Amino acid sequence: METATWKSASHCTATYGDGGDPDPFQWDTREDCEVRQILDRVADKWSLLVIALLDRRVLRFTELKRAIDGVSQRMLTVTLRQLERDGLVKRTVHPVVPPRVDYELTPLGGTLHTTIRSLVTWTEQHQNEIAAAREEYDTRETATVS
């Protein structure tokens, strides 16, 4: 089997097998791995919701807060700052009183939303199968415990 290794900015390695796809069990698990940090960020539930909401239109902080059930003001602030730092969200401050701040996806953020939409579509298509598998598992586990 032929493998190739590449290095990211943080010198994390990913090993590729015959098919050219990275082996997920070979991904670097160090905390300073750039790939891991990005995946941790974009796979976070608050980030996913913010990206999904901003795909529709430009929103103000209060509109995002109202639309995302359960997110605290601090968590939303942290999430938006991280997404802005990663180049996924653009923050625009308007020089008015009181200050108005708008958030929107960048073109890079829009490409991520396309990927997220694929994941949501897959989930919708397979939700009944997953529910049945969960029920089967729970029934089996209950019988084992008894």
Side-chain angles (χ1 to χ4, degrees):
M1 175 162 89
E2 183 178 330
T3 61
T5 303
W6 63 275
K7 294 188 177 217
S8 74
S10 294
H11 305 292
C12 302
T13 59
T15 302
Y16 289 80
D18 294 348
D21 293 328
D23 180 353
F25 297 108
Q26 296 297 315
W27 287 354
D28 194 313
T29 58
R30 293 175 306 174
E31 287 190 25
D32 65 341
C33 178
E34 192 75 23
V35 172
R36 179 179 174 182
Q37 290 175 5
I38 294 168
L39 286 172
D40 286 347
R41 170 87 25 79
V42 299
D44 172 80
K45 71 178 180 178
W46 303 125
S47 296
L48 289 172
L49 290 169
V50 166
I51 292 165
L53 287 166
L54 290 178
D55 184 60
R56 296 182 190 147
R57 62 187 179 105
V58 175
L59 292 171
R60 296 175 69 179
F61 183 90
T62 53
E63 293 172 312
L64 283 165
K65 175 113 174 52
R66 262 184 299 210
I68 302 173
D69 188 40
V71 69
S72 68
Q73 182 168 334
R74 183 185 184 316
M75 193 69 242
L76 182 55
T77 299
V78 168
T79 300
L80 286 165
R81 283 185 185 156
Q82 290 173 339
L83 292 172
E84 182 182 8
R85 181 174 181 253
D86 289 343
L88 302 172
V89 168
K90 178 183 173 192
R91 177 179 184 258
T92 304
V93 180
H94 300 277
V96 295
V97 177
R100 189 178 114 214
V101 181
D102 292 331
Y103 295 91
E104 62 185 302
L105 286 184
T106 64
L108 180 61
T111 63
L112 178 59
H113 185 266
T114 301
T115 301
I116 292 169
R117 191 173 335 161
S118 296
L119 180 61
V120 170
T121 299
W122 179 89
T123 304
E124 290 171 345
Q125 290 172 347
H126 298 284
Q127 65 184 337
N128 293 336
E129 294 167 71
I130 293 168
R134 287 177 177 174
E135 187 175 327
E136 179 185 330
Y137 176 88
D138 292 345
T139 302
R140 193 173 58 241
E141 286 300 304
T142 303
T144 305
V145 174
S146 300

